[in-house]
Amino acid sequence: MEKTELRKQIKKLAEENQDSIKKDSEKICKKILDLPLYKKSKILLAYMALKDEVGLEILIEDALKDKKKVFLPKIDLEKGKMDFYRFFNEERLCQGAYGILEPAKDNAFREELFRWDEISAKSDEILVLVPGRAFSKKKDRMGRGKAYYDTYFTGLKDKVTLCGISFDWQLFEDIPCEEHDLKMDYVISPGEVIL
């Protein structure tokens, strides 16, 4: 199956499973909260979900209460790239590219960019939660086709733990992937934790 066909299939599955997205998102967040890799982390690179993605609000709220540093992606359409910025609370979110909520910049807030140059070796203190359109049981990931995550984490994979976040209906034995496609360290769905 080609990526385009699989994306169409996922879109249909998302529509069919719309009623279970919130409940399944909560299950996934609770699973992550119990994982040692989350408990050890001090820095969480997360995302604000689109309507067909796993919502991480419970997890983000817990991370902030636990004094973890939380960073969310911002996409710069002009430059065609993504960076992660510090997230403090929901009052400082605005709608960004593709309708995704992202950290806002205002007069009382100085943007804090996540700095990879300060991290020299793999750290189990940094956990990255990665959305996707589909994942395989071999921990392959297929995104929405813009390669923002693939590009951003090229060369950084050895510094972080990448955790694919998936609904069960997004998880397949195999998915089409190419050499540049990002491979996960873990994939977590309501029904499975793939190590």
Side-chain angles (χ1 to χ4, degrees), residues 106-129:
D106 59 40
N107 293 334
F109 172 60
R110 181 181 67 76
E111 285 186 312
E112 185 179 332
L113 179 68
F114 189 78
R115 305 280 314 204
W116 288 105
D117 55 351
E118 296 170 7
I119 297 163
S120 58
K122 182 147 185 147
S123 172
D124 59 4
E125 293 182 354
I126 304 170
L127 177 60
V128 183
L129 304 177

mmCIF file of all heavy atoms in Angstrom, residues 106-129:
data_model
loop_
_atom_site.group_PDB
_atom_site.id
_atom_site.type_symbol
_atom_site.label_atom_id
_atom_site.label_comp_id
_atom_site.label_asym_id
_atom_site.label_seq_id
_atom_site.Cartn_x
_atom_site.Cartn_y
_atom_site.Cartn_z
ATOM 1 N N ASP A 106 3.891 37.108 23.485
ATOM 2 C CA ASP A 106 3.226 38.355 23.835
ATOM 3 C C ASP A 106 4.199 39.225 24.635
ATOM 4 O O ASP A 106 5.328 38.826 24.897
ATOM 5 C CB ASP A 106 1.921 38.099 24.602
ATOM 6 C CG ASP A 106 2.136 37.329 25.895
ATOM 7 O OD1 ASP A 106 3.119 37.606 26.600
ATOM 8 O OD2 ASP A 106 1.318 36.450 26.196
ATOM 9 N N ASN A 107 3.753 40.390 25.019
ATOM 10 C CA ASN A 107 4.638 41.343 25.697
ATOM 11 C C ASN A 107 5.184 40.832 27.023
ATOM 12 O O ASN A 107 6.273 41.189 27.432
ATOM 13 C CB ASN A 107 3.900 42.667 25.933
ATOM 14 C CG ASN A 107 3.590 43.364 24.639
ATOM 15 O OD1 ASN A 107 4.283 43.163 23.639
ATOM 16 N ND2 ASN A 107 2.540 44.156 24.613
ATOM 17 N N ALA A 108 4.407 39.989 27.713
ATOM 18 C CA ALA A 108 4.828 39.514 29.032
ATOM 19 C C ALA A 108 5.615 38.208 28.945
ATOM 20 O O ALA A 108 5.991 37.643 29.950
ATOM 21 C CB ALA A 108 3.591 39.301 29.904
ATOM 22 N N PHE A 109 5.874 37.741 27.738
ATOM 23 C CA PHE A 109 6.435 36.404 27.568
ATOM 24 C C PHE A 109 7.559 36.407 26.545
ATOM 25 O O PHE A 109 7.400 36.867 25.435
ATOM 26 C CB PHE A 109 5.297 35.473 27.114
ATOM 27 C CG PHE A 109 5.739 34.101 26.712
ATOM 28 C CD1 PHE A 109 6.390 33.280 27.603
ATOM 29 C CD2 PHE A 109 5.471 33.637 25.443
ATOM 30 C CE1 PHE A 109 6.775 32.000 27.224
ATOM 31 C CE2 PHE A 109 5.854 32.364 25.065
ATOM 32 C CZ PHE A 109 6.499 31.554 25.956
ATOM 33 N N ARG A 110 8.696 35.933 26.988
ATOM 34 C CA ARG A 110 9.837 35.789 26.079
ATOM 35 C C ARG A 110 9.863 34.336 25.622
ATOM 36 O O ARG A 110 9.889 33.424 26.435
ATOM 37 C CB ARG A 110 11.130 36.141 26.812
ATOM 38 C CG ARG A 110 12.367 36.054 25.955
ATOM 39 C CD ARG A 110 13.602 36.393 26.759
ATOM 40 N NE ARG A 110 13.914 35.417 27.792
ATOM 41 C CZ ARG A 110 14.456 34.220 27.570
ATOM 42 N NH1 ARG A 110 14.708 33.810 26.359
ATOM 43 N NH2 ARG A 110 14.730 33.406 28.571
ATOM 44 N N GLU A 111 9.850 34.135 24.312
ATOM 45 C CA GLU A 111 9.877 32.763 23.802
ATOM 46 C C GLU A 111 11.159 32.062 24.235
ATOM 47 O O GLU A 111 12.233 32.653 24.209
ATOM 48 C CB GLU A 111 9.829 32.757 22.274
ATOM 49 C CG GLU A 111 8.478 33.068 21.707
ATOM 50 C CD GLU A 111 8.461 32.917 20.201
ATOM 51 O OE1 GLU A 111 9.380 33.446 19.545
ATOM 52 O OE2 GLU A 111 7.553 32.282 19.696
ATOM 53 N N GLU A 112 11.014 30.822 24.650
ATOM 54 C CA GLU A 112 12.175 30.031 25.036
ATOM 55 C C GLU A 112 12.271 28.841 24.086
ATOM 56 O O GLU A 112 11.470 27.914 24.136
ATOM 57 C CB GLU A 112 12.029 29.547 26.484
ATOM 58 C CG GLU A 112 13.258 28.820 26.976
ATOM 59 C CD GLU A 112 13.121 28.347 28.425
ATOM 60 O OE1 GLU A 112 12.378 28.982 29.200
ATOM 61 O OE2 GLU A 112 13.756 27.334 28.756
ATOM 62 N N LEU A 113 13.240 28.896 23.207
ATOM 63 C CA LEU A 113 13.473 27.862 22.207
ATOM 64 C C LEU A 113 14.213 26.697 22.846
ATOM 65 O O LEU A 113 15.108 26.899 23.666
ATOM 66 C CB LEU A 113 14.322 28.456 21.078
ATOM 67 C CG LEU A 113 14.733 27.552 19.915
ATOM 68 C CD1 LEU A 113 13.512 27.163 19.088
ATOM 69 C CD2 LEU A 113 15.740 28.275 19.035
ATOM 70 N N PHE A 114 13.822 25.470 22.501
ATOM 71 C CA PHE A 114 14.555 24.309 23.005
ATOM 72 C C PHE A 114 15.922 24.293 22.343
ATOM 73 O O PHE A 114 16.040 24.404 21.132
ATOM 74 C CB PHE A 114 13.802 23.007 22.712
ATOM 75 C CG PHE A 114 14.429 21.838 23.410
ATOM 76 C CD1 PHE A 114 14.205 21.630 24.752
ATOM 77 C CD2 PHE A 114 15.265 20.973 22.733
ATOM 78 C CE1 PHE A 114 14.791 20.567 25.423
ATOM 79 C CE2 PHE A 114 15.849 19.898 23.387
ATOM 80 C CZ PHE A 114 15.621 19.699 24.732
ATOM 81 N N ARG A 115 16.996 24.140 23.145
ATOM 82 C CA ARG A 115 18.376 24.255 22.662
ATOM 83 C C ARG A 115 19.057 22.892 22.628
ATOM 84 O O ARG A 115 19.452 22.369 23.660
ATOM 85 C CB ARG A 115 19.165 25.201 23.571
ATOM 86 C CG ARG A 115 18.577 26.581 23.754
ATOM 87 C CD ARG A 115 18.863 27.478 22.630
ATOM 88 N NE ARG A 115 20.257 27.368 22.285
ATOM 89 C CZ ARG A 115 20.943 28.287 21.668
ATOM 90 N NH1 ARG A 115 20.365 29.383 21.291
ATOM 91 N NH2 ARG A 115 22.211 28.110 21.392
ATOM 92 N N TRP A 116 19.199 22.337 21.449
ATOM 93 C CA TRP A 116 19.857 21.035 21.306
ATOM 94 C C TRP A 116 21.357 21.130 21.502
ATOM 95 O O TRP A 116 21.993 20.162 21.906
ATOM 96 C CB TRP A 116 19.556 20.433 19.936
ATOM 97 C CG TRP A 116 18.154 19.972 19.857
ATOM 98 C CD1 TRP A 116 17.130 20.583 19.191
ATOM 99 C CD2 TRP A 116 17.578 18.842 20.492
ATOM 100 N NE1 TRP A 116 15.964 19.894 19.383
ATOM 101 C CE2 TRP A 116 16.218 18.818 20.175
ATOM 102 C CE3 TRP A 116 18.089 17.838 21.315
ATOM 103 C CZ2 TRP A 116 15.356 17.824 20.633
ATOM 104 C CZ3 TRP A 116 17.232 16.851 21.759
ATOM 105 C CH2 TRP A 116 15.881 16.854 21.419
ATOM 106 N N ASP A 117 21.937 22.270 21.222
ATOM 107 C CA ASP A 117 23.390 22.403 21.343
ATOM 108 C C ASP A 117 23.858 22.288 22.793
ATOM 109 O O ASP A 117 25.031 22.103 23.061
ATOM 110 C CB ASP A 117 23.887 23.705 20.707
ATOM 111 C CG ASP A 117 23.206 24.946 21.255
ATOM 112 O OD1 ASP A 117 22.220 24.827 22.011
ATOM 113 O OD2 ASP A 117 23.654 26.047 20.910
ATOM 114 N N GLU A 118 22.929 22.348 23.748
ATOM 115 C CA GLU A 118 23.284 22.201 25.162
ATOM 116 C C GLU A 118 23.236 20.746 25.614
ATOM 117 O O GLU A 118 23.545 20.435 26.757
ATOM 118 C CB GLU A 118 22.337 23.044 26.019
ATOM 119 C CG GLU A 118 22.460 24.537 25.740
ATOM 120 C CD GLU A 118 21.370 25.353 26.405
ATOM 121 O OE1 GLU A 118 20.578 24.799 27.198
ATOM 122 O OE2 GLU A 118 21.310 26.557 26.119
ATOM 123 N N ILE A 119 22.850 19.852 24.715
ATOM 124 C CA ILE A 119 22.726 18.435 25.056
ATOM 125 C C ILE A 119 23.749 17.650 24.245
ATOM 126 O O ILE A 119 23.704 17.623 23.029
ATOM 127 C CB ILE A 119 21.298 17.940 24.778
ATOM 128 C CG1 ILE A 119 20.379 18.724 25.690
ATOM 129 C CG2 ILE A 119 21.178 16.448 25.008
ATOM 130 C CD1 ILE A 119 19.004 18.770 25.446
ATOM 131 N N SER A 120 24.685 17.023 24.945
ATOM 132 C CA SER A 120 25.792 16.387 24.245
ATOM 133 C C SER A 120 25.627 14.885 24.043
ATOM 134 O O SER A 120 26.170 14.332 23.104
ATOM 135 C CB SER A 120 27.098 16.657 24.991
ATOM 136 O OG SER A 120 26.990 16.176 26.309
ATOM 137 N N ALA A 121 24.893 14.217 24.914
ATOM 138 C CA ALA A 121 24.757 12.763 24.798
ATOM 139 C C ALA A 121 23.300 12.373 25.016
ATOM 140 O O ALA A 121 22.493 13.185 25.466
ATOM 141 C CB ALA A 121 25.638 12.084 25.835
ATOM 142 N N LYS A 122 22.966 11.127 24.709
ATOM 143 C CA LYS A 122 21.593 10.649 24.899
ATOM 144 C C LYS A 122 21.196 10.830 26.356
ATOM 145 O O LYS A 122 21.943 10.517 27.254
ATOM 146 C CB LYS A 122 21.460 9.187 24.504
ATOM 147 C CG LYS A 122 20.017 8.705 24.649
ATOM 148 C CD LYS A 122 19.653 7.691 23.634
ATOM 149 C CE LYS A 122 18.180 7.346 23.748
ATOM 150 N NZ LYS A 122 17.591 7.036 22.515
ATOM 151 N N SER A 123 20.017 11.341 26.531
ATOM 152 C CA SER A 123 19.535 11.606 27.878
ATOM 153 C C SER A 123 18.176 10.962 28.066
ATOM 154 O O SER A 123 17.272 11.179 27.262
ATOM 155 C CB SER A 123 19.421 13.120 28.092
ATOM 156 O OG SER A 123 18.783 13.385 29.304
ATOM 157 N N ASP A 124 18.034 10.174 29.138
ATOM 158 C CA ASP A 124 16.714 9.616 29.434
ATOM 159 C C ASP A 124 15.853 10.653 30.155
ATOM 160 O O ASP A 124 14.742 10.375 30.560
ATOM 161 C CB ASP A 124 16.813 8.310 30.222
ATOM 162 C CG ASP A 124 17.548 8.456 31.543
ATOM 163 O OD1 ASP A 124 17.933 9.585 31.899
ATOM 164 O OD2 ASP A 124 17.742 7.432 32.217
ATOM 165 N N GLU A 125 16.396 11.870 30.287
ATOM 166 C CA GLU A 125 15.624 12.958 30.886
ATOM 167 C C GLU A 125 14.776 13.680 29.849
ATOM 168 O O GLU A 125 13.942 14.498 30.189
ATOM 169 C CB GLU A 125 16.554 13.957 31.574
ATOM 170 C CG GLU A 125 17.246 13.363 32.785
ATOM 171 C CD GLU A 125 18.131 14.368 33.498
ATOM 172 O OE1 GLU A 125 18.310 15.499 32.988
ATOM 173 O OE2 GLU A 125 18.628 14.031 34.573
ATOM 174 N N ILE A 126 15.004 13.381 28.549
ATOM 175 C CA ILE A 126 14.255 14.041 27.480
ATOM 176 C C ILE A 126 13.358 13.013 26.800
ATOM 177 O O ILE A 126 13.836 12.056 26.199
ATOM 178 C CB ILE A 126 15.188 14.680 26.435
ATOM 179 C CG1 ILE A 126 16.146 15.663 27.104
ATOM 180 C CG2 ILE A 126 14.369 15.378 25.352
ATOM 181 C CD1 ILE A 126 17.240 16.151 26.194
ATOM 182 N N LEU A 127 12.054 13.228 26.897
ATOM 183 C CA LEU A 127 11.082 12.346 26.268
ATOM 184 C C LEU A 127 10.334 13.131 25.200
ATOM 185 O O LEU A 127 9.812 14.209 25.472
ATOM 186 C CB LEU A 127 10.100 11.806 27.311
ATOM 187 C CG LEU A 127 8.971 10.923 26.799
ATOM 188 C CD1 LEU A 127 9.507 9.676 26.097
ATOM 189 C CD2 LEU A 127 8.030 10.539 27.944
ATOM 190 N N VAL A 128 10.291 12.575 23.999
ATOM 191 C CA VAL A 128 9.600 13.216 22.883
ATOM 192 C C VAL A 128 8.371 12.390 22.526
ATOM 193 O O VAL A 128 8.490 11.199 22.225
ATOM 194 C CB VAL A 128 10.517 13.333 21.643
ATOM 195 C CG1 VAL A 128 9.792 14.080 20.524
ATOM 196 C CG2 VAL A 128 11.824 14.034 21.989
ATOM 197 N N LEU A 129 7.206 13.009 22.571
ATOM 198 C CA LEU A 129 5.956 12.365 22.197
ATOM 199 C C LEU A 129 5.614 12.801 20.776
ATOM 200 O O LEU A 129 5.438 13.989 20.515
ATOM 201 C CB LEU A 129 4.844 12.742 23.172
ATOM 202 C CG LEU A 129 5.153 12.423 24.638
ATOM 203 C CD1 LEU A 129 4.036 12.901 25.541
ATOM 204 C CD2 LEU A 129 5.421 10.945 24.838
#
